[in-house]
mmCIF file of all heavy atoms in Angstrom:
data_model
loop_
_atom_site.group_PDB
_atom_site.id
_atom_site.type_symbol
_atom_site.label_atom_id
_atom_site.label_comp_id
_atom_site.label_asym_id
_atom_site.label_seq_id
_atom_site.Cartn_x
_atom_site.Cartn_y
_atom_site.Cartn_z
ATOM 1 N N MET L 135 -41.095 -53.047 -81.545
ATOM 2 C CA MET L 135 -41.757 -53.002 -82.829
ATOM 3 C C MET L 135 -41.256 -51.791 -83.605
ATOM 4 O O MET L 135 -41.166 -50.692 -83.081
ATOM 5 C CB MET L 135 -43.266 -52.903 -82.626
ATOM 6 C CG MET L 135 -44.032 -52.871 -83.912
ATOM 7 S SD MET L 135 -45.758 -53.283 -83.613
ATOM 8 C CE MET L 135 -46.532 -51.823 -84.178
ATOM 9 N N HIS L 136 -40.929 -51.999 -84.876
ATOM 10 C CA HIS L 136 -40.475 -50.917 -85.731
ATOM 11 C C HIS L 136 -41.669 -50.212 -86.355
ATOM 12 O O HIS L 136 -42.711 -50.824 -86.592
ATOM 13 C CB HIS L 136 -39.576 -51.454 -86.841
ATOM 14 C CG HIS L 136 -38.330 -52.085 -86.316
ATOM 15 N ND1 HIS L 136 -37.265 -51.337 -85.877
ATOM 16 C CD2 HIS L 136 -37.986 -53.377 -86.145
ATOM 17 C CE1 HIS L 136 -36.317 -52.150 -85.471
ATOM 18 N NE2 HIS L 136 -36.738 -53.406 -85.621
ATOM 19 N N GLN L 137 -41.484 -48.941 -86.619
ATOM 20 C CA GLN L 137 -42.560 -48.172 -87.217
ATOM 21 C C GLN L 137 -41.968 -47.225 -88.252
ATOM 22 O O GLN L 137 -40.926 -46.613 -88.014
ATOM 23 C CB GLN L 137 -43.296 -47.372 -86.137
ATOM 24 C CG GLN L 137 -44.459 -46.584 -86.644
ATOM 25 C CD GLN L 137 -45.183 -45.838 -85.522
ATOM 26 O OE1 GLN L 137 -44.638 -45.611 -84.451
ATOM 27 N NE2 GLN L 137 -46.396 -45.456 -85.785
ATOM 28 N N ILE L 138 -42.619 -47.126 -89.385
ATOM 29 C CA ILE L 138 -42.229 -46.180 -90.418
ATOM 30 C C ILE L 138 -43.304 -45.111 -90.478
ATOM 31 O O ILE L 138 -44.494 -45.410 -90.589
ATOM 32 C CB ILE L 138 -42.085 -46.861 -91.789
ATOM 33 C CG1 ILE L 138 -40.966 -47.899 -91.738
ATOM 34 C CG2 ILE L 138 -41.826 -45.831 -92.876
ATOM 35 C CD1 ILE L 138 -40.849 -48.744 -92.979
ATOM 36 N N VAL L 139 -42.889 -43.876 -90.408
ATOM 37 C CA VAL L 139 -43.822 -42.752 -90.464
ATOM 38 C C VAL L 139 -43.399 -41.859 -91.623
ATOM 39 O O VAL L 139 -42.219 -41.579 -91.804
ATOM 40 C CB VAL L 139 -43.802 -41.951 -89.139
ATOM 41 C CG1 VAL L 139 -44.713 -40.743 -89.221
ATOM 42 C CG2 VAL L 139 -44.172 -42.843 -87.977
ATOM 43 N N THR L 140 -44.371 -41.422 -92.382
ATOM 44 C CA THR L 140 -44.091 -40.511 -93.485
ATOM 45 C C THR L 140 -45.135 -39.411 -93.487
ATOM 46 O O THR L 140 -46.220 -39.567 -92.922
ATOM 47 C CB THR L 140 -44.066 -41.258 -94.836
ATOM 48 O OG1 THR L 140 -43.658 -40.355 -95.857
ATOM 49 C CG2 THR L 140 -45.410 -41.854 -95.168
ATOM 50 N N GLN L 141 -44.808 -38.304 -94.095
ATOM 51 C CA GLN L 141 -45.710 -37.157 -94.105
ATOM 52 C C GLN L 141 -45.504 -36.386 -95.400
ATOM 53 O O GLN L 141 -44.395 -36.327 -95.926
ATOM 54 C CB GLN L 141 -45.401 -36.255 -92.911
ATOM 55 C CG GLN L 141 -46.212 -35.000 -92.843
ATOM 56 C CD GLN L 141 -45.895 -34.185 -91.603
ATOM 57 O OE1 GLN L 141 -45.593 -34.729 -90.547
ATOM 58 N NE2 GLN L 141 -45.948 -32.879 -91.735
ATOM 59 N N ILE L 142 -46.566 -35.785 -95.879
ATOM 60 C CA ILE L 142 -46.478 -34.932 -97.053
ATOM 61 C C ILE L 142 -47.418 -33.747 -96.840
ATOM 62 O O ILE L 142 -48.498 -33.900 -96.276
ATOM 63 C CB ILE L 142 -46.832 -35.687 -98.346
ATOM 64 C CG1 ILE L 142 -46.603 -34.808 -99.554
ATOM 65 C CG2 ILE L 142 -48.237 -36.221 -98.314
ATOM 66 C CD1 ILE L 142 -46.684 -35.536 -100.879
ATOM 67 N N ASP L 143 -46.971 -32.570 -97.232
ATOM 68 C CA ASP L 143 -47.817 -31.384 -97.174
ATOM 69 C C ASP L 143 -48.430 -31.177 -98.551
ATOM 70 O O ASP L 143 -47.723 -31.165 -99.561
ATOM 71 C CB ASP L 143 -47.003 -30.151 -96.783
ATOM 72 C CG ASP L 143 -46.503 -30.230 -95.350
ATOM 73 O OD1 ASP L 143 -47.255 -30.724 -94.487
ATOM 74 O OD2 ASP L 143 -45.366 -29.797 -95.093
ATOM 75 N N ILE L 144 -49.739 -31.030 -98.589
ATOM 76 C CA ILE L 144 -50.463 -30.819 -99.839
ATOM 77 C C ILE L 144 -51.058 -29.416 -99.791
ATOM 78 O O ILE L 144 -51.776 -29.077 -98.838
ATOM 79 C CB ILE L 144 -51.572 -31.878 -100.033
ATOM 80 C CG1 ILE L 144 -50.944 -33.274 -100.034
ATOM 81 C CG2 ILE L 144 -52.338 -31.613 -101.320
ATOM 82 C CD1 ILE L 144 -51.954 -34.402 -100.071
ATOM 83 N N ALA L 145 -50.783 -28.628 -100.798
ATOM 84 C CA ALA L 145 -51.200 -27.223 -100.821
ATOM 85 C C ALA L 145 -52.654 -27.083 -101.269
ATOM 86 O O ALA L 145 -52.952 -26.465 -102.295
ATOM 87 C CB ALA L 145 -50.272 -26.420 -101.715
ATOM 88 N N THR L 146 -53.553 -27.665 -100.501
ATOM 89 C CA THR L 146 -54.986 -27.518 -100.749
ATOM 90 C C THR L 146 -55.732 -27.859 -99.467
ATOM 91 O O THR L 146 -55.133 -28.288 -98.490
ATOM 92 C CB THR L 146 -55.459 -28.389 -101.934
ATOM 93 O OG1 THR L 146 -56.766 -27.977 -102.334
ATOM 94 C CG2 THR L 146 -55.454 -29.859 -101.597
ATOM 95 N N SER L 147 -57.017 -27.689 -99.498
ATOM 96 C CA SER L 147 -57.811 -27.950 -98.295
ATOM 97 C C SER L 147 -58.031 -29.453 -98.093
ATOM 98 O O SER L 147 -58.031 -30.223 -99.057
ATOM 99 C CB SER L 147 -59.166 -27.261 -98.409
ATOM 100 O OG SER L 147 -59.949 -27.896 -99.406
ATOM 101 N N PRO L 148 -58.256 -29.863 -96.856
ATOM 102 C CA PRO L 148 -58.590 -31.269 -96.610
ATOM 103 C C PRO L 148 -59.841 -31.708 -97.371
ATOM 104 O O PRO L 148 -59.927 -32.839 -97.836
ATOM 105 C CB PRO L 148 -58.821 -31.328 -95.096
ATOM 106 C CG PRO L 148 -58.041 -30.174 -94.551
ATOM 107 C CD PRO L 148 -58.110 -29.107 -95.605
ATOM 108 N N GLU L 149 -60.796 -30.802 -97.511
ATOM 109 C CA GLU L 149 -62.022 -31.131 -98.232
ATOM 110 C C GLU L 149 -61.732 -31.475 -99.692
ATOM 111 O O GLU L 149 -62.323 -32.406 -100.247
ATOM 112 C CB GLU L 149 -63.017 -29.960 -98.163
ATOM 113 C CG GLU L 149 -63.563 -29.707 -96.780
ATOM 114 C CD GLU L 149 -62.617 -28.899 -95.879
ATOM 115 O OE1 GLU L 149 -61.643 -28.297 -96.381
ATOM 116 O OE2 GLU L 149 -62.849 -28.893 -94.670
ATOM 117 N N HIS L 150 -60.806 -30.754 -100.310
ATOM 118 C CA HIS L 150 -60.449 -31.036 -101.703
ATOM 119 C C HIS L 150 -59.764 -32.394 -101.820
ATOM 120 O O HIS L 150 -60.050 -33.174 -102.735
ATOM 121 C CB HIS L 150 -59.559 -29.930 -102.265
ATOM 122 C CG HIS L 150 -59.278 -30.085 -103.713
ATOM 123 N ND1 HIS L 150 -58.012 -30.122 -104.211
ATOM 124 C CD2 HIS L 150 -60.103 -30.237 -104.778
ATOM 125 C CE1 HIS L 150 -58.065 -30.291 -105.526
ATOM 126 N NE2 HIS L 150 -59.320 -30.359 -105.898
ATOM 127 N N VAL L 151 -58.871 -32.686 -100.892
ATOM 128 C CA VAL L 151 -58.196 -33.993 -100.890
ATOM 129 C C VAL L 151 -59.225 -35.104 -100.755
ATOM 130 O O VAL L 151 -59.203 -36.085 -101.508
ATOM 131 C CB VAL L 151 -57.146 -34.066 -99.764
ATOM 132 C CG1 VAL L 151 -56.574 -35.477 -99.654
ATOM 133 C CG2 VAL L 151 -56.039 -33.060 -100.000
ATOM 134 N N TRP L 152 -60.149 -34.973 -99.797
ATOM 135 C CA TRP L 152 -61.164 -36.014 -99.591
ATOM 136 C C TRP L 152 -62.075 -36.148 -100.796
ATOM 137 O O TRP L 152 -62.506 -37.257 -101.133
ATOM 138 C CB TRP L 152 -61.977 -35.748 -98.324
ATOM 139 C CG TRP L 152 -61.274 -36.277 -97.112
ATOM 140 C CD1 TRP L 152 -60.714 -35.558 -96.117
ATOM 141 C CD2 TRP L 152 -61.009 -37.649 -96.808
ATOM 142 N NE1 TRP L 152 -60.126 -36.393 -95.197
ATOM 143 C CE2 TRP L 152 -60.301 -37.688 -95.602
ATOM 144 C CE3 TRP L 152 -61.312 -38.851 -97.438
ATOM 145 C CZ2 TRP L 152 -59.884 -38.868 -95.010
ATOM 146 C CZ3 TRP L 152 -60.893 -40.035 -96.845
ATOM 147 C CH2 TRP L 152 -60.191 -40.033 -95.650
ATOM 148 N N SER L 153 -62.384 -35.048 -101.480
ATOM 149 C CA SER L 153 -63.250 -35.146 -102.659
ATOM 150 C C SER L 153 -62.589 -35.987 -103.750
ATOM 151 O O SER L 153 -63.256 -36.736 -104.458
ATOM 152 C CB SER L 153 -63.612 -33.763 -103.196
ATOM 153 O OG SER L 153 -62.508 -33.139 -103.820
ATOM 154 N N ILE L 154 -61.273 -35.887 -103.859
ATOM 155 C CA ILE L 154 -60.534 -36.700 -104.837
ATOM 156 C C ILE L 154 -60.480 -38.157 -104.375
ATOM 157 O O ILE L 154 -60.721 -39.078 -105.155
ATOM 158 C CB ILE L 154 -59.122 -36.132 -105.046
ATOM 159 C CG1 ILE L 154 -59.228 -34.770 -105.753
ATOM 160 C CG2 ILE L 154 -58.247 -37.102 -105.840
ATOM 161 C CD1 ILE L 154 -57.945 -33.991 -105.802
ATOM 162 N N LEU L 155 -60.186 -38.368 -103.110
ATOM 163 C CA LEU L 155 -60.087 -39.738 -102.595
ATOM 164 C C LEU L 155 -61.418 -40.474 -102.631
ATOM 165 O O LEU L 155 -61.450 -41.697 -102.763
ATOM 166 C CB LEU L 155 -59.538 -39.734 -101.163
ATOM 167 C CG LEU L 155 -58.080 -39.316 -101.019
ATOM 168 C CD1 LEU L 155 -57.704 -39.244 -99.552
ATOM 169 C CD2 LEU L 155 -57.167 -40.266 -101.774
ATOM 170 N N MET L 156 -62.512 -39.769 -102.504
ATOM 171 C CA MET L 156 -63.833 -40.400 -102.492
ATOM 172 C C MET L 156 -64.432 -40.546 -103.896
ATOM 173 O O MET L 156 -65.484 -41.150 -104.054
ATOM 174 C CB MET L 156 -64.798 -39.593 -101.620
ATOM 175 C CG MET L 156 -64.408 -39.556 -100.160
ATOM 176 S SD MET L 156 -64.507 -41.186 -99.354
ATOM 177 C CE MET L 156 -62.792 -41.636 -99.240
ATOM 178 N N ASP L 157 -63.758 -40.054 -104.916
ATOM 179 C CA ASP L 157 -64.240 -40.170 -106.299
ATOM 180 C C ASP L 157 -63.736 -41.493 -106.886
ATOM 181 O O ASP L 157 -62.825 -41.545 -107.705
ATOM 182 C CB ASP L 157 -63.738 -38.981 -107.126
ATOM 183 C CG ASP L 157 -64.299 -38.962 -108.535
ATOM 184 O OD1 ASP L 157 -65.154 -39.826 -108.866
ATOM 185 O OD2 ASP L 157 -63.876 -38.092 -109.312
ATOM 186 N N PHE L 158 -64.346 -42.581 -106.447
ATOM 187 C CA PHE L 158 -63.877 -43.921 -106.820
ATOM 188 C C PHE L 158 -63.865 -44.181 -108.319
ATOM 189 O O PHE L 158 -62.928 -44.808 -108.820
ATOM 190 C CB PHE L 158 -64.685 -44.988 -106.082
ATOM 191 C CG PHE L 158 -64.465 -44.940 -104.593
ATOM 192 C CD1 PHE L 158 -65.446 -44.427 -103.766
ATOM 193 C CD2 PHE L 158 -63.284 -45.380 -104.031
ATOM 194 C CE1 PHE L 158 -65.255 -44.360 -102.391
ATOM 195 C CE2 PHE L 158 -63.072 -45.317 -102.659
ATOM 196 C CZ PHE L 158 -64.060 -44.803 -101.839
ATOM 197 N N PRO L 159 -64.838 -43.720 -109.093
ATOM 198 C CA PRO L 159 -64.783 -43.965 -110.535
ATOM 199 C C PRO L 159 -63.557 -43.327 -111.216
ATOM 200 O O PRO L 159 -63.117 -43.787 -112.259
ATOM 201 C CB PRO L 159 -66.078 -43.351 -111.058
ATOM 202 C CG PRO L 159 -67.007 -43.373 -109.897
ATOM 203 C CD PRO L 159 -66.129 -43.131 -108.693
ATOM 204 N N ALA L 160 -62.987 -42.292 -110.603
ATOM 205 C CA ALA L 160 -61.832 -41.613 -111.199
ATOM 206 C C ALA L 160 -60.496 -42.240 -110.802
ATOM 207 O O ALA L 160 -59.451 -41.834 -111.307
ATOM 208 C CB ALA L 160 -61.840 -40.133 -110.816
ATOM 209 N N TYR L 161 -60.503 -43.223 -109.909
ATOM 210 C CA TYR L 161 -59.250 -43.820 -109.448
ATOM 211 C C TYR L 161 -58.326 -44.269 -110.585
ATOM 212 O O TYR L 161 -57.126 -44.038 -110.508
ATOM 213 C CB TYR L 161 -59.536 -44.998 -108.517
ATOM 214 C CG TYR L 161 -59.525 -44.628 -107.042
ATOM 215 C CD1 TYR L 161 -60.161 -43.488 -106.591
ATOM 216 C CD2 TYR L 161 -58.883 -45.423 -106.119
ATOM 217 C CE1 TYR L 161 -60.167 -43.153 -105.251
ATOM 218 C CE2 TYR L 161 -58.884 -45.104 -104.777
ATOM 219 C CZ TYR L 161 -59.521 -43.963 -104.347
ATOM 220 O OH TYR L 161 -59.504 -43.639 -103.028
ATOM 221 N N PRO L 162 -58.821 -44.911 -111.634
ATOM 222 C CA PRO L 162 -57.901 -45.353 -112.691
ATOM 223 C C PRO L 162 -57.124 -44.213 -113.348
ATOM 224 O O PRO L 162 -56.078 -44.439 -113.935
ATOM 225 C CB PRO L 162 -58.823 -46.031 -113.707
ATOM 226 C CG PRO L 162 -60.011 -46.450 -112.915
ATOM 227 C CD PRO L 162 -60.187 -45.387 -111.869
ATOM 228 N N GLN L 163 -57.588 -42.982 -113.208
ATOM 229 C CA GLN L 163 -56.897 -41.845 -113.808
ATOM 230 C C GLN L 163 -55.610 -41.498 -113.068
ATOM 231 O O GLN L 163 -54.708 -40.899 -113.643
ATOM 232 C CB GLN L 163 -57.814 -40.613 -113.824
ATOM 233 C CG GLN L 163 -59.029 -40.788 -114.687
ATOM 234 C CD GLN L 163 -59.992 -39.616 -114.543
ATOM 235 O OE1 GLN L 163 -59.656 -38.564 -114.010
ATOM 236 N NE2 GLN L 163 -61.210 -39.811 -115.021
ATOM 237 N N TRP L 164 -55.514 -41.840 -111.786
ATOM 238 C CA TRP L 164 -54.342 -41.428 -111.017
ATOM 239 C C TRP L 164 -53.755 -42.513 -110.117
ATOM 240 O O TRP L 164 -52.639 -42.381 -109.622
ATOM 241 C CB TRP L 164 -54.677 -40.194 -110.161
ATOM 242 C CG TRP L 164 -55.756 -40.423 -109.145
ATOM 243 C CD1 TRP L 164 -57.087 -40.224 -109.317
ATOM 244 C CD2 TRP L 164 -55.594 -40.895 -107.802
ATOM 245 N NE1 TRP L 164 -57.763 -40.547 -108.166
ATOM 246 C CE2 TRP L 164 -56.875 -40.957 -107.213
ATOM 247 C CE3 TRP L 164 -54.493 -41.276 -107.040
ATOM 248 C CZ2 TRP L 164 -57.076 -41.380 -105.914
ATOM 249 C CZ3 TRP L 164 -54.712 -41.692 -105.732
ATOM 250 C CH2 TRP L 164 -55.987 -41.731 -105.185
ATOM 251 N N ASN L 165 -54.486 -43.579 -109.876
ATOM 252 C CA ASN L 165 -54.039 -44.602 -108.939
ATOM 253 C C ASN L 165 -53.656 -45.883 -109.682
ATOM 254 O O ASN L 165 -54.520 -46.573 -110.207
ATOM 255 C CB ASN L 165 -55.154 -44.882 -107.929
ATOM 256 C CG ASN L 165 -54.737 -45.863 -106.852
ATOM 257 O OD1 ASN L 165 -53.707 -46.515 -106.951
ATOM 258 N ND2 ASN L 165 -55.554 -45.971 -105.827
ATOM 259 N N PRO L 166 -52.361 -46.231 -109.704
ATOM 260 C CA PRO L 166 -51.943 -47.432 -110.431
ATOM 261 C C PRO L 166 -52.491 -48.729 -109.833
ATOM 262 O O PRO L 166 -52.472 -49.759 -110.482
ATOM 263 C CB PRO L 166 -50.415 -47.396 -110.352
ATOM 264 C CG PRO L 166 -50.110 -46.546 -109.166
ATOM 265 C CD PRO L 166 -51.236 -45.543 -109.067
ATOM 266 N N LEU L 167 -53.002 -48.686 -108.615
ATOM 267 C CA LEU L 167 -53.560 -49.875 -107.981
ATOM 268 C C LEU L 167 -55.062 -49.989 -108.180
ATOM 269 O O LEU L 167 -55.693 -50.878 -107.622
ATOM 270 C CB LEU L 167 -53.251 -49.869 -106.479
ATOM 271 C CG LEU L 167 -51.776 -49.841 -106.106
ATOM 272 C CD1 LEU L 167 -51.613 -49.736 -104.600
ATOM 273 C CD2 LEU L 167 -51.061 -51.060 -106.647
ATOM 274 N N ALA L 168 -55.639 -49.103 -108.969
ATOM 275 C CA ALA L 168 -57.095 -49.067 -109.121
ATOM 276 C C ALA L 168 -57.652 -50.354 -109.709
ATOM 277 O O ALA L 168 -58.840 -50.613 -109.593
ATOM 278 C CB ALA L 168 -57.504 -47.883 -109.978
ATOM 279 N N GLY L 169 -56.814 -51.167 -110.309
ATOM 280 C CA GLY L 169 -57.269 -52.433 -110.849
ATOM 281 C C GLY L 169 -57.681 -53.415 -109.766
ATOM 282 O O GLY L 169 -58.341 -54.398 -110.027
ATOM 283 N N PHE L 170 -57.328 -53.149 -108.546
ATOM 284 C CA PHE L 170 -57.674 -54.019 -107.443
ATOM 285 C C PHE L 170 -59.023 -53.592 -106.880
ATOM 286 O O PHE L 170 -59.118 -52.785 -105.959
ATOM 287 C CB PHE L 170 -56.596 -53.978 -106.353
ATOM 288 C CG PHE L 170 -55.286 -54.569 -106.805
ATOM 289 C CD1 PHE L 170 -54.255 -53.750 -107.224
ATOM 290 C CD2 PHE L 170 -55.097 -55.937 -106.821
ATOM 291 C CE1 PHE L 170 -53.051 -54.288 -107.647
ATOM 292 C CE2 PHE L 170 -53.897 -56.486 -107.242
ATOM 293 C CZ PHE L 170 -52.872 -55.654 -107.660
ATOM 294 N N HIS L 171 -60.083 -54.132 -107.445
ATOM 295 C CA HIS L 171 -61.433 -53.751 -107.076
ATOM 296 C C HIS L 171 -61.689 -53.927 -105.576
ATOM 297 O O HIS L 171 -62.367 -53.111 -104.958
ATOM 298 C CB HIS L 171 -62.452 -54.547 -107.883
ATOM 299 C CG HIS L 171 -63.866 -54.243 -107.510
ATOM 300 N ND1 HIS L 171 -64.476 -53.067 -107.845
ATOM 301 C CD2 HIS L 171 -64.778 -54.958 -106.808
ATOM 302 C CE1 HIS L 171 -65.714 -53.065 -107.368
ATOM 303 N NE2 HIS L 171 -65.920 -54.207 -106.740
ATOM 304 N N ALA L 172 -61.132 -54.943 -105.003
ATOM 305 C CA ALA L 172 -61.358 -55.200 -103.578
ATOM 306 C C ALA L 172 -60.839 -54.059 -102.721
ATOM 307 O O ALA L 172 -61.475 -53.666 -101.740
ATOM 308 C CB ALA L 172 -60.697 -56.511 -103.168
ATOM 309 N N MET L 173 -59.687 -53.490 -103.076
ATOM 310 C CA MET L 173 -59.141 -52.373 -102.321
ATOM 311 C C MET L 173 -60.069 -51.169 -102.419
ATOM 312 O O MET L 173 -60.380 -50.524 -101.416
ATOM 313 C CB MET L 173 -57.758 -51.986 -102.842
ATOM 314 C CG MET L 173 -57.152 -50.815 -102.075
ATOM 315 S SD MET L 173 -55.746 -50.084 -102.914
ATOM 316 C CE MET L 173 -56.587 -49.231 -104.242
ATOM 317 N N ASN L 174 -60.540 -50.863 -103.607
ATOM 318 C CA ASN L 174 -61.437 -49.733 -103.788
ATOM 319 C C ASN L 174 -62.733 -49.939 -103.022
ATOM 320 O O ASN L 174 -63.257 -49.008 -102.407
ATOM 321 C CB ASN L 174 -61.729 -49.502 -105.275
ATOM 322 C CG ASN L 174 -60.518 -49.015 -106.026
ATOM 323 O OD1 ASN L 174 -59.601 -48.471 -105.444
ATOM 324 N ND2 ASN L 174 -60.505 -49.213 -107.321
ATOM 325 N N GLN L 175 -63.265 -51.134 -103.049
ATOM 326 C CA GLN L 175 -64.506 -51.418 -102.323
ATOM 327 C C GLN L 175 -64.286 -51.279 -100.829
ATOM 328 O O GLN L 175 -65.141 -50.752 -100.113
ATOM 329 C CB GLN L 175 -65.030 -52.811 -102.670
ATOM 330 C CG GLN L 175 -66.415 -53.071 -102.121
ATOM 331 C CD GLN L 175 -67.461 -52.123 -102.682
ATOM 332 O OE1 GLN L 175 -67.518 -51.896 -103.878
ATOM 333 N NE2 GLN L 175 -68.268 -51.558 -101.815
ATOM 334 N N ALA L 176 -63.145 -51.714 -100.346
ATOM 335 C CA ALA L 176 -62.847 -51.589 -98.922
ATOM 336 C C ALA L 176 -62.777 -50.123 -98.511
ATOM 337 O O ALA L 176 -63.293 -49.741 -97.454
ATOM 338 C CB ALA L 176 -61.533 -52.297 -98.597
ATOM 339 N N LEU L 177 -62.159 -49.289 -99.335
ATOM 340 C CA LEU L 177 -62.095 -47.858 -99.043
ATOM 341 C C LEU L 177 -63.489 -47.244 -99.034
ATOM 342 O O LEU L 177 -63.816 -46.436 -98.169
ATOM 343 C CB LEU L 177 -61.214 -47.141 -100.068
ATOM 344 C CG LEU L 177 -59.724 -47.391 -99.968
ATOM 345 C CD1 LEU L 177 -59.013 -46.779 -101.171
ATOM 346 C CD2 LEU L 177 -59.169 -46.795 -98.682
ATOM 347 N N LYS L 178 -64.307 -47.634 -100.000
ATOM 348 C CA LYS L 178 -65.675 -47.111 -100.073
ATOM 349 C C LYS L 178 -66.473 -47.530 -98.844
ATOM 350 O O LYS L 178 -67.166 -46.716 -98.236
ATOM 351 C CB LYS L 178 -66.356 -47.608 -101.342
ATOM 352 C CG LYS L 178 -67.741 -47.066 -101.530
ATOM 353 C CD LYS L 178 -68.343 -47.554 -102.841
ATOM 354 C CE LYS L 178 -69.758 -47.020 -103.001
ATOM 355 N NZ LYS L 178 -70.386 -47.523 -104.206
ATOM 356 N N ASN L 179 -66.359 -48.782 -98.462
ATOM 357 C CA ASN L 179 -67.073 -49.274 -97.286
ATOM 358 C C ASN L 179 -66.636 -48.522 -96.022
ATOM 359 O O ASN L 179 -67.454 -48.172 -95.190
ATOM 360 C CB ASN L 179 -66.848 -50.775 -97.098
ATOM 361 C CG ASN L 179 -67.513 -51.591 -98.182
ATOM 362 O OD1 ASN L 179 -68.347 -51.100 -98.924
ATOM 363 N ND2 ASN L 179 -67.096 -52.834 -98.289
ATOM 364 N N ARG L 180 -65.351 -48.279 -95.921
ATOM 365 C CA ARG L 180 -64.833 -47.570 -94.739
ATOM 366 C C ARG L 180 -65.361 -46.138 -94.712
ATOM 367 O O ARG L 180 -65.769 -45.643 -93.669
ATOM 368 C CB ARG L 180 -63.317 -47.572 -94.752
ATOM 369 C CG ARG L 180 -62.712 -46.893 -93.579
ATOM 370 C CD ARG L 180 -61.226 -47.030 -93.556
ATOM 371 N NE ARG L 180 -60.700 -46.289 -92.418
ATOM 372 C CZ ARG L 180 -59.443 -46.150 -92.173
ATOM 373 N NH1 ARG L 180 -58.546 -46.711 -92.960
ATOM 374 N NH2 ARG L 180 -59.027 -45.464 -91.144
ATOM 375 N N ALA L 181 -65.353 -45.464 -95.867
ATOM 376 C CA ALA L 181 -65.841 -44.090 -95.932
ATOM 377 C C ALA L 181 -67.326 -44.026 -95.581
ATOM 378 O O ALA L 181 -67.754 -43.147 -94.833
ATOM 379 C CB ALA L 181 -65.596 -43.515 -97.329
ATOM 380 N N GLU L 182 -68.095 -44.961 -96.101
ATOM 381 C CA GLU L 182 -69.531 -44.982 -95.802
ATOM 382 C C GLU L 182 -69.776 -45.264 -94.321
ATOM 383 O O GLU L 182 -70.672 -44.689 -93.724
ATOM 384 C CB GLU L 182 -70.228 -46.001 -96.685
ATOM 385 C CG GLU L 182 -70.296 -45.585 -98.138
ATOM 386 C CD GLU L 182 -70.833 -46.674 -99.070
ATOM 387 O OE1 GLU L 182 -71.052 -47.817 -98.614
ATOM 388 O OE2 GLU L 182 -71.016 -46.367 -100.241
ATOM 389 N N ALA L 183 -68.978 -46.122 -93.734
ATOM 390 C CA ALA L 183 -69.134 -46.436 -92.320
ATOM 391 C C ALA L 183 -68.831 -45.221 -91.447
ATOM 392 O O ALA L 183 -69.403 -45.053 -90.380
ATOM 393 C CB ALA L 183 -68.216 -47.592 -91.925
ATOM 394 N N ASN L 184 -67.946 -44.352 -91.951
ATOM 395 C CA ASN L 184 -67.591 -43.132 -91.213
ATOM 396 C C ASN L 184 -68.520 -41.973 -91.561
ATOM 397 O O ASN L 184 -68.294 -40.860 -91.103
ATOM 398 C CB ASN L 184 -66.147 -42.745 -91.510
ATOM 399 C CG ASN L 184 -65.156 -43.689 -90.869
ATOM 400 O OD1 ASN L 184 -65.423 -44.270 -89.826
ATOM 401 N ND2 ASN L 184 -64.012 -43.869 -91.501
ATOM 402 N N GLY L 185 -69.510 -42.212 -92.409
ATOM 403 C CA GLY L 185 -70.446 -41.166 -92.762
ATOM 404 C C GLY L 185 -69.898 -40.141 -93.732
ATOM 405 O O GLY L 185 -70.376 -39.021 -93.797
ATOM 406 N N GLU L 186 -68.885 -40.508 -94.494
ATOM 407 C CA GLU L 186 -68.278 -39.562 -95.443
ATOM 408 C C GLU L 186 -68.749 -39.810 -96.847
ATOM 409 O O GLU L 186 -69.168 -40.851 -97.219
ATOM 410 C CB GLU L 186 -66.750 -39.690 -95.367
ATOM 411 C CG GLU L 186 -66.236 -39.345 -93.990
ATOM 412 C CD GLU L 186 -64.765 -39.668 -93.822
ATOM 413 O OE1 GLU L 186 -64.063 -39.931 -94.807
ATOM 414 O OE2 GLU L 186 -64.320 -39.669 -92.684
#
């Protein structure tokens, strides 16, 4: 099985990154896929299931 792995270093805290990722109403400002409501809902459901 083939696998693609990628990594990026972000010069901020993990908490700051998560605060942006969990701000679903702001997605259209930076995420070109924000028009896909189902994807956003799936992310929200996953975050809530993890207690975030």
